[in-house]
Amino acid sequence: MKQLYHSYDEALEIFRDLQRRRPDLFRVEVIGKTWEKREMVVVTITEGIEKAEEKPALFYTGTIHAREWIGIELAIAFAQYVDRNFLYDHAVQEALKSSTFYIVPCANPDGFEYSRNHFSFWRKNRRQNADGSYGVDLNRNFPVGFVKSKNPLSNVYGGPEPFSEPETRALRDFVEAHPNIAIALDYHSQGNVFFPAHDFRHEDTLDTTDMNVLCANMAEEIRKISDREYGIHQGKPPAKLIGGSGREFYYSKGIIASVVEVGTRNISDYLDDMIEHIREHIPALLAALKEAPNYERGHTLPRPENFRATFVGSDTVTLEWEPYPCCEGEEEIYFEIYRSGREKSYCRPFNLMGLTQANRYADSNLRSDSSYFYHIRAVSRSSGRKSPFAPVLAIRTHVGDDEFHRTYFPLPDRTGYVAQRAKDNAAHFGVNSLFVGVSETKGISYAVVTIPMKSLPEKAVIKRARFRLYPMNRVGVTVEKYGEWDVGIVDPQSVGDLTKFEEVDRMKILSYVGRPTPSNHLTQGIWRSWEFSEVECRVLQEQIARQELTLRVEGPKELIVGRNSQMMQWDLGYGKFGGGLAFRPHLEITYTLEPERLELFPKRSFTVRSEGEEEGKILCGFDAQGRKIYATFDFELGSLPDWDYISIVRAYVVLKPVKIYAKSNIRFHLEMIDATEERDYRTIQGRHIIENIGYDVSAGELKDREQVFLFDSYAIQEFGNRLRQKRPVAFLLRPSSAQKLVKNSTVEWHSSHPEYTPKLIIEYLHKRRKPVAPVSDLKYSFDNGKIKLSWKNPADKDFKGVFVIKNPFRKPISPYDGDKLYGGPDNWTYDDFGALDVHKYYAVFTYDDVPNFSEPVILEYLPNA
């Protein structure tokens, strides 16, 4: 396996040979020397090498940790790919025409050679420390967040001071001498995850979205090649953030930066794994390289400001942003708008939803009660340059007219994991993490999640459901494409002591949920969802009477020979090291109820002919002179409940023909009309039609059958307007024919028979339409170094609780646009991980049991105010 990897000298010879053969594309220059006097080199790749410094650039560093060989191997492979494909690969030509690629293939040559020849697991460089030990972790030797350590034996020993090492000084000097560097990628192994740069605060920064999208676009290129999914994880509270790394140093210089962790082992099987990793990362690097011009320091277009949702419905969202400032030298600006169904998603041509020069965009045909994530950037039509992204906008569409929504979180004391070889499984409940899979130390490990469902009506009909877990670490999954992780609904009769492995292992599973997650789809930092099928929703529905659901999360139960772990770690959201509410497992349910049914009978019905009206009769067609005969009938709506507390699921008019004297080419139409207008023959011919009801029917279709004329959405809306205004509603039957003249062709419908008389049938749910009042007296204070928020809840019997949202970029108009700090009936909460020196907005939304959300009450937090 190791014989297929290149030595450092072999790599240098490959790059210098490329320079000799293709001096127009490649340049190799020495930027420093190591402790052992090896040359550190930068390989420059671009079209027209003499103009390399005039183009925006991507800065690549590899193998800064000695045992992480992917960095140098990918650098070699990428350079060779450019050499082989430049003449005919349009993607390579386009990227290198507008951008420069700087590659430091190995940032730790001494340590790399020591790892190759002496001790594979070596990580640091080969400096001799004062105590006689060797090595400094070069990725802890940069100044941003540098931590002074007195333990040189540590694998993460950062050296006596920042830039104490010649290797990091060489990287510093090169970066500071090249202000054209716009993007920096630092390649490591292992984990299959991108770690974008952070600023040592658990708050999103203005360019967090840019880094997430850059990484997501690269991840999508990887997925297309190998079906492997990469995670994106900027640094989730309360995790300790890494300090002293190159990534944060580059970021401090205005460069968007990320670490890329590749694979599941530091030194992978070359033929089986490493070649695949290399192949999938070449198009990913090309995608990143093409983005460099859009992030050129000092030359970027302004990002769109105050990107927000001004309207959210059940199937439509209206997006707006501020008018774009004029840019010198730019003729025309337009905007790209992207939509995704999951967090931290890519922005590629296939999820580009719209192009517009306006500062408003309406997105429609969305699914009700569903989460969507929007991105926007400006584009110069003349130059093709694109701006950075506005901060991502998250919304959730409203529930449909017949829908309700619930989100349930687990009971901490009955949620945890049990491991086959653990001595105290009870200690794993309600704290920190869920470990699922198998390892040599833990044996087989299951997670048990207990979810209360007390607020779900016993007669609820579940339409959709999904269970979600936040993956906080997948490094323990060391085998690609082996094993899968499932979620099962547990038979309540088999639930015993949840803290005993044997009893959890014996649980009976009624049904597994959705599709299992294979190991190559496990990610870190992106929610994993298990979607319930229709059959699984019925199984879930059977648990409603118990008011509790037990789920078992399970993974592989056997290890491959030579591997010691296939264990995934998920955030529990509780405990000292849990990420809190924002990362807690949860079950989302969209449900409906069996509607109530109300039958209304006409207050009045009559036929209208040219010669007059006939009360109590419903006749429609053509008379002996070929003139139309109309029928009309009215309904009073006083017996329906208050419009503000019902939702009409379905409405329709039922007519039963009694006598048919009509040819088959006659058709009959039912219209909703204004009940207050006169309905003599002359007025009817000039009538105002509110809406046609259902589809017209032909005389040949009648055959004594009952006819149902179903309201469409607009008809229900107009019907609701009349109900809200306490006005009656009227309908009119009219005939039509394709022939120029039709005579003596009529149909009479029952008008007085108690069983067959016309009926207006309304199916409705008791459902509040308007939100309860918002909170009042929202304010913040400081308590033990944290920001504490407090408010007064409204005194309304339908008040169920509040959502508290934080957003550092804009006022949250939607209850999903930002970090959720709290959900529940209390009147206070803390911003547990919030930085005191960051400007931000807090918004509090009240909700009822639908839920309908109130308009937000917004509080601006000004540091040091």
Side-chain angles (χ1 to χ4, degrees), residues 413-711:
D413 60 334
R414 301 192 64 200
T415 299
Y417 77 92
V418 291
Q420 190 177 21
R421 296 174 186 161
K423 294 181 179 179
D424 184 11
N425 278 314
H428 302 155
F429 280 71
V431 291
N432 303 334
S433 308
L434 301 172
F435 287 90
V436 181
V438 61
S439 70
E440 287 185 349
T441 54
K442 293 182 183 293
I444 298 169
S445 185
Y446 297 104
V448 181
V449 181
T450 305
I451 298 174
M453 299 191 299
K454 292 182 180 180
S455 65
L456 197 64
E458 191 168 341
K459 294 184 179 180
V461 179
I462 297 175
K463 297 176 67 175
R464 299 189 297 276
R466 67 173 178 172
F467 175 66
R468 309 188 79 205
L469 288 172
Y470 188 84
M472 61 188 302
N473 196 340
R474 66 142 289 153
V475 173
V477 180
T478 63
V479 185
E480 294 282 11
K481 301 180 182 177
Y482 171 71
E484 54 187 30
W485 280 253
D486 270 304
V487 174
I489 301 174
V490 177
D491 183 347
Q493 302 301 319
S494 68
V495 174
D497 187 340
L498 299 179
T499 67
K500 292 185 177 179
F501 174 84
E502 295 77 12
E503 298 200 28
V504 173
D505 185 51
R506 287 196 297 265
M507 284 177 169
K508 179 182 177 182
I509 302 298
L510 296 174
S511 174
Y512 286 97
V513 176
R515 300 179 62 183
T517 297
S519 61
N520 60 312
H521 287 183
L522 285 179
T523 60
Q524 181 174 344
I526 298 177
W527 284 94
R528 177 60 55 180
S529 298
W530 284 265
E531 308 280 345
F532 287 66
S533 69
E534 184 178 342
V535 172
E536 293 152 7
C537 281
R538 289 200 291 268
V539 177
L540 175 61
Q541 194 162 329
E542 293 169 0
Q543 309 305 307
I544 295 175
R546 292 184 58 244
Q547 299 186 335
E548 189 172 277
L549 173 71
T550 303
L551 299 172
R552 187 179 75 184
V553 188
E554 57 190 74
K557 298 178 176 62
E558 296 178 353
L559 286 170
I560 286 179
V561 173
R563 299 295 181 94
N564 61 11
S565 178
Q566 194 71 344
M567 184 75 72
M568 187 64 194
Q569 183 182 2
W570 316 86
D571 197 338
L572 181 55
Y574 295 103
K576 182 179 179 181
F577 298 105
L581 177 65
F583 303 98
R584 198 164 292 166
H586 56 270
L587 173 69
E588 297 177 352
I589 295 177
T590 306
Y591 72 93
T592 188
L593 299 168
E594 287 296 330
E596 296 195 27
R597 189 173 186 271
L598 180 66
E599 292 186 0
L600 301 178
F601 299 96
K603 175 189 175 185
R604 177 191 179 205
S605 59
F606 57 99
T607 297
V608 182
R609 301 172 183 267
S610 61
E611 58 267 27
E613 296 87 42
E614 183 178 356
E615 289 283 347
K617 190 172 186 178
I618 302 178
L619 184 74
C620 186
F622 297 89
D623 66 12
Q625 285 75 43
R627 294 171 298 194
K628 290 182 178 181
I629 303 170
Y630 301 95
T632 183
F633 40 92
D634 301 12
F635 295 90
E636 292 286 353
L637 305 179
S639 56
L640 276 165
D642 187 335
W643 174 249
D644 287 335
Y645 292 91
I646 67 168
S647 178
I648 296 177
V649 175
R650 196 176 297 109
Y652 49 97
V653 173
V654 178
L655 296 174
K656 174 74 173 178
V658 61
K659 294 178 182 178
I660 303 173
Y661 304 107
K663 298 176 181 178
S664 60
N665 60 357
I666 305 297
R667 302 191 73 83
F668 299 92
H669 308 256
L670 184 66
E671 302 168 353
M672 184 191 300
I673 62 173
D674 191 340
T676 63
E677 289 186 358
E678 292 293 328
R679 271 168 279 172
D680 56 47
Y681 198 75
R682 183 183 61 83
T683 305
I684 279 179
Q685 288 181 316
R687 70 196 176 281
H688 168 64
I689 302 171
I690 297 171
E691 176 64 314
N692 294 303
I693 304 300
Y695 292 97
D696 53 287
V697 296
S698 70
E701 292 173 324
L702 296 178
K703 299 178 182 177
D704 294 330
R705 292 183 303 176
E706 188 175 77
Q707 296 300 309
V708 175
F709 296 85
L710 188 65
F711 286 38

